Amino acid sequence: MKHGHVNPSHCLEDQGITGLGDVYYNLLEPALIEAALKRDEGTLGLGGAFLVSTGKHTGRSPKDKHVVRTPSVENTIWWENNAPMAPDAFDRLHADMLTHMQGREYFVQDLFAGADPAHRLDVRVVTELAWHGLFIRHLLRRPGRHELESFIPDFTIINCPSFKADPARHGCRSETVIALNFEKKLILIGNTAYAGENKKSVFTLLNYLLPEKGVMPMHCSANHAHDEIEQTAVFFGLSGTGKTTLSADTARTLIGDDEHGWSDTGVFNFEGGCYAKTINLSAEAEPQIYATTHTFGTVVENMVFDPDTLAIDFDDASLTANTRCAYPMTCISNASPTALGGHPKNVIMLTCDAFGVLPPIARLTPAQAMYHFLSGFTSKVAGTEVGVTEPQPTFSTCFGAPFMPRRPEVYGKLLQEKIARFGAECWLVNTGWTGGAYGTGKRMPIKATRALLTAALDGSLRSVQFRRDPNFGFEVPVHVPGVDAALLEPRRTWADGAAYDAQAKKLVAMFADNFAQYVPFIDADVKAAAIG
């Protein structure tokens, strides 16, 4: 087997992977782009961004994700949420994938998951596509050259989009497969070129491993006040709720946009880059993210562009509404060089309410925070998952059910303990619809959302008058400078108040029905929050 660029002391042959063609280890960005262009994987765009289409799969395939049912995880996996795969089926899948890989070129990136050395995971990512190597090099954290010499992976990911699984032989749902084997410390991905599967597989690993160490893994963005690391805030939310946009505040230091851990010493980013949605992106509203789409090395996924001028059409969703760009944190001028923060002073839960019922911001008691964290109410945004073509109201517990291998109560109790121990203030922020449901109302003005968040983070929101919401019992500000008071009382934004009342009643009932599954596992104060 030939090796490119670096010949590490611990290579694929040591893991029993033999018979491949040329294998390139830890190539830098220029070499990866050169290889991707040579292999006709995409187009070099303006500024040196790499423009690529992911083909059939333009979002994640959560129904094709499996956990191998081995003895060590039998009693700790949330099987109702994680499709099992038999160990022998995984072994066949592994053997067949390695056979398929024979003689082909592959690209290897050895990377860290976790900015805190005490809790990081060393991950080897083997990719069939050169641009996947570029993508994951952005999204995870890069070891120093001296660290690569002794790098031994804790887990290995093999991503082979040209391999099609056989459901009958491999115990999976379709020809597309994402299979996690915790005992063999191996993840296999086949028949999808959507790069987000790489990063979310690592997130799933950390979501399983870290709770045993008392670390709370979080599907959230995070930032802190400039020069005040103790003024840290975290923003929970599913894709499309505003994690990346709202944490990218130039008045604060960005820790990360998607995945973090909360340990006994504070918050740390799992990743080394950002994966931002780009549909309707503008230089005026989000200048830093917009600039990355014309920056050397940025991966731009599934965006329509002019073949002659290479100009990107940010409003064209004909390939998917889930257009994205991936770039390293160094592209953001106010990013933290350490990707570390203090214990959160504010915990924000972002929801995209397609019913148009929830206020733009509400203050939560710790018990109410647990209720809304376990509920995880939001709307799946078009394109983020296969088959989602318009906003779909959903309950995704912990604001990240597709990535949660353990039962929700494990994460809920961890977060409850952290909030109680470190005294975080909790907020629910609706970035969804106002003035009516999806199709009738309009999206919450981002200017208003930013103003409300600023007031919450700088403490000024504590001094305003609050009212008790009659539907959910949380507190809602009555008046906030710079924000239309009508927005703060959603019923006033509807043309028909009775229609709002009916919609609110429907949503409250949906919350209650969904939450019934957690009642046997929660504390009395959280039960009371659920009732009142």
Side-chain angles (χ1 to χ4, degrees), residues 11 64 80 122 147 158 205 232 238 252 305 329 377-378 410 463:
C11 54
D64 293 310
E80 294 87 349
D122 296 355
E147 294 173 300
I158 300 176
L205 289 178
T232 293
L238 285 181
R252 295 172 65 85
F305 60 92
M329 292 285 291
F377 172 71
T378 191
V410 173
S463 63

Side-chain angles (χ1 to χ4, degrees), residues 45-49 294-297:
L46 297 175
H294 300 82
T295 299
F296 179 80

Side-chain angles (χ1 to χ4, degrees), residues 199-255:
K199 90 181 212 89
K200 289 306 185 186
S201 292
V202 176
F203 187 37
T204 303
L205 289 178
L206 292 168
N207 281 334
Y208 183 77
L209 298 171
L210 290 180
E212 290 184 344
K213 303 172 69 175
V215 177
M216 174 64 191
M218 303 179 291
H219 190 210
C220 73
S221 57
N223 62 24
H224 64 75
H226 290 325
D227 302 319
E228 293 184 83
I229 196 171
E230 68 277 6
Q231 294 296 326
T232 293
V234 297
F235 304 76
F236 284 98
L238 285 181
S239 175
T241 55
K243 293 194 308 301
T244 298
T245 298
L246 296 174
S247 60
D249 182 346
T250 55
R252 295 172 65 85
T253 297
L254 178 67
I255 302 171

Side-chain angles (χ1 to χ4, degrees), residues 55 74 81 85 134 205 316 324 326 348 388 411 477 485-486:
E74 171 69 33
N81 185 62
M85 176 180 282
L134 178 66
L205 289 178
D316 192 329
R324 289 183 178 268
I348 294 107
V388 179
Y411 307 105

Side-chain angles (χ1 to χ4, degrees), residues 127-385:
T127 63
E128 180 179 22
L129 297 173
W131 77 263
H132 272 200
L134 178 66
F135 171 92
I136 203 63
R137 184 171 171 80
H138 291 336
L139 267 295
L140 294 185
R141 305 186 64 80
R142 306 167 188 175
R145 304 306 284 178
H146 66 287
E147 294 173 300
L148 288 173
E149 294 302 319
S150 57
F151 187 95
I152 301 177
D154 296 315
F155 276 80
T156 296
I157 298 172
I158 300 176
N159 190 322
C160 189
S162 67
F163 176 82
K164 296 181 184 298
D166 178 348
R169 176 171 168 79
H170 301 135
C172 50
R173 188 185 74 98
S174 74
E175 292 181 336
T176 300
V177 65
I178 304 98
L180 290 72
N181 191 321
F182 286 99
E183 283 194 0
K184 293 198 171 183
K185 299 185 175 182
L186 183 62
I187 298 174
L188 304 178
I189 303 173
N191 195 45
T192 172
Y194 182 66
E197 299 288 10
N198 295 293
K199 90 181 212 89
K200 289 306 185 186
S201 292
V202 176
F203 187 37
T204 303
L205 289 178
L206 292 168
N207 281 334
Y208 183 77
L209 298 171
L210 290 180
E212 290 184 344
K213 303 172 69 175
V215 177
M216 174 64 191
M218 303 179 291
H219 190 210
C220 73
S221 57
N223 62 24
H224 64 75
H226 290 325
D227 302 319
E228 293 184 83
I229 196 171
E230 68 277 6
Q231 294 296 326
T232 293
V234 297
F235 304 76
F236 284 98
L238 285 181
S239 175
T241 55
K243 293 194 308 301
T244 298
T245 298
L246 296 174
S247 60
D249 182 346
T250 55
R252 295 172 65 85
T253 297
L254 178 67
I255 302 171
D257 83 321
D258 195 42
E259 302 171 6
H260 294 79
W262 186 354
S263 72
D264 287 343
T265 57
V267 169
F268 63 98
N269 192 355
F270 291 165
E271 301 184 302
C274 299
Y275 192 32
K277 286 181 69 70
T278 52
I279 192 69
N280 305 131
L281 186 67
S282 72
E284 293 74 29
E286 300 177 79
Q288 291 207 81
I289 298 175
Y290 181 88
T292 68
T293 62
H294 300 82
T295 299
F296 179 80
T298 294
V299 175
V300 177
E301 280 186 344
N302 298 315
M303 297 201 70
V304 176
F305 60 92
D306 188 299
D308 297 320
T309 67
L310 300 178
I312 296 170
D313 187 343
F314 289 92
D315 299 321
D316 192 329
S318 58
L319 293 179
T320 177
N322 191 38
T323 58
R324 289 183 178 268
C325 64
Y327 50 88
M329 292 285 291
T330 51
C331 287
I332 303 300
S333 61
N334 59 317
S336 165
T338 64
L340 302 174
H343 296 292
K345 294 296 184 184
N346 288 277
V347 172
I348 294 107
M349 299 181 187
L350 301 171
T351 181
C352 177
D353 174 21
F355 285 106
V357 168
L358 295 175
I361 195 167
R363 183 166 60 189
L364 305 176
T365 66
Q368 288 171 337
M370 285 306 95
Y371 176 68
H372 285 278
F373 180 71
L374 289 173
S375 297
F377 172 71
T378 191
S379 299
K380 293 180 181 178
V381 177
T384 55
E385 292 183 9

Side-chain angles (χ1 to χ4, degrees), residues 388-440:
V388 179
T389 58
E390 63 181 41
Q392 295 179 358
T394 187
F395 290 89
S396 184
T397 188
C398 308
F399 295 99
F403 326 116
M404 300 297 170
R406 295 180 183 270
R407 280 203 56 85
E409 303 83 50
V410 173
Y411 307 105
K413 288 179 180 178
L414 258 178
L415 183 62
Q416 188 174 26
E417 291 167 3
K418 300 287 186 189
I419 289 172
R421 180 177 174 187
F422 300 108
E425 195 159 16
C426 302
W427 308 88
L428 182 70
V429 171
N430 174 26
T431 62
W433 274 257
T434 183
Y438 168 77
T440 302

